Amino acid sequence: MSFDPGLKIGDIISNKSLVNIFKCGIMGGMRRSKKTNTLVIISDHTKGLYEDKWINGILHYTGMGKKGDQSLSFAQNKTLAESNENGVDVHLFEVFKEKDYVYMGKVKLVNTPYQETQKGEDGIPRKVWIFPVGLIKDT
C-alpha cells in the first residue's frame, strides 16, 4: 500500500511540515525517505539554478548535483530513474514563493530521462539529467 501524506493538491506547507509528514531530510530538491518509501521532488522556482519546465503537462525536472556533470547512477537520480520499477512513490512540490511548498500530487516518469547542458552553481556548463514526470490523476 502506498503512503498517504494526507495532503490535497494545492495545499501549501512549510519545509518543517514536509519533513515531518514524509520523514525525509531537511534540504535538497530530491529527498528520499525509507520510512515512508517515498521520494519527494521539489521544483523550486525561487532559486534559479535548475531549469525545470512544464511542457504539455509534463514537468521536465532536473536531477541532483550542483557542479559538474550529473550521473544517472548517483543517489536520488538513480531512485527517480528506477521509480517505475522500484516501488518508490514520487511526490512533487513546487515553490513559487520562498518557504511555501505547494503540493502538486504524486508523479511518475512518463518518458526516458535525457541529458541537456545547463550551468552549474559555479557558472560552468555541465551535463544534467532531465526527468520527464507527469501527475498521476488518481491522487
Side-chain angles (χ1 to χ4, degrees), residues 1-5 36-38 87-91 106 138-139:
M1 188 164 125
S2 66
F3 174 73
D4 179 2
T36 60
N37 197 33
T38 56
V88 174
D89 285 337
V90 183
H91 293 260
K106 277 175 51 176
D138 65 347
T139 59

Side-chain angles (χ1 to χ4, degrees), residues 71-89:
S71 166
L72 201 54
S73 60
F74 174 69
Q76 303 326 323
N77 288 346
K78 181 176 182 178
T79 304
L80 184 53
E82 297 174 353
S83 61
N84 287 347
E85 293 86 37
N86 64 15
V88 174
D89 285 337

Side-chain angles (χ1 to χ4, degrees), residues 30-59:
M30 299 174 91
R31 305 178 188 184
R32 176 80 167 94
S33 171
K34 301 231 183 211
K35 286 184 182 161
T36 60
N37 197 33
T38 56
L39 175 65
V40 172
I41 61 174
I42 300 162
S43 182
D44 190 338
H45 304 285
T46 68
K47 295 224 168 47
L49 176 61
Y50 299 114
E51 298 171 20
D52 301 340
K53 54 195 167 286
W54 286 96
I55 302 171
N56 298 324
I58 305 300
L59 178 64

Side-chain angles (χ1 to χ4, degrees), residues 1-137:
M1 188 164 125
S2 66
F3 174 73
D4 179 2
L7 296 170
K8 292 187 207 66
I9 292 170
D11 282 354
I12 299 172
I13 63 173
S14 67
N15 188 53
K16 184 176 182 181
S17 294
L18 189 154
V19 170
N20 288 337
I21 291 167
F22 287 92
K23 312 289 186 244
C24 63
I26 61 169
M27 293 177 60
M30 299 174 91
R31 305 178 188 184
R32 176 80 167 94
S33 171
K34 301 231 183 211
K35 286 184 182 161
T36 60
N37 197 33
T38 56
L39 175 65
V40 172
I41 61 174
I42 300 162
S43 182
D44 190 338
H45 304 285
T46 68
K47 295 224 168 47
L49 176 61
Y50 299 114
E51 298 171 20
D52 301 340
K53 54 195 167 286
W54 286 96
I55 302 171
N56 298 324
I58 305 300
L59 178 64
H60 294 254
Y61 181 81
T62 308
M64 44 184 327
K66 295 181 179 183
K67 278 198 250 182
D69 292 345
Q70 292 180 351
S71 166
L72 201 54
S73 60
F74 174 69
Q76 303 326 323
N77 288 346
K78 181 176 182 178
T79 304
L80 184 53
E82 297 174 353
S83 61
N84 287 347
E85 293 86 37
N86 64 15
V88 174
D89 285 337
V90 183
H91 293 260
L92 171 64
F93 287 83
E94 285 192 275
V95 179
F96 301 100
K97 180 181 164 204
E98 205 172 320
K99 300 183 181 172
D100 285 353
Y101 293 77
V102 182
Y103 184 62
M104 303 303 289
K106 277 175 51 176
V107 296
K108 69 176 199 160
L109 263 183
V110 295
N111 219 323
T112 306
Y114 63 92
Q115 285 187 297
E116 71 176 35
T117 301
Q118 292 183 10
K119 286 186 178 170
E121 70 176 358
D122 54 10
I124 298 170
R126 80 263 175 64
K127 293 272 187 214
V128 297
W129 281 98
I130 304 294
F131 298 90
V133 296
L135 293 168
I136 299 172
K137 300 297 182 202

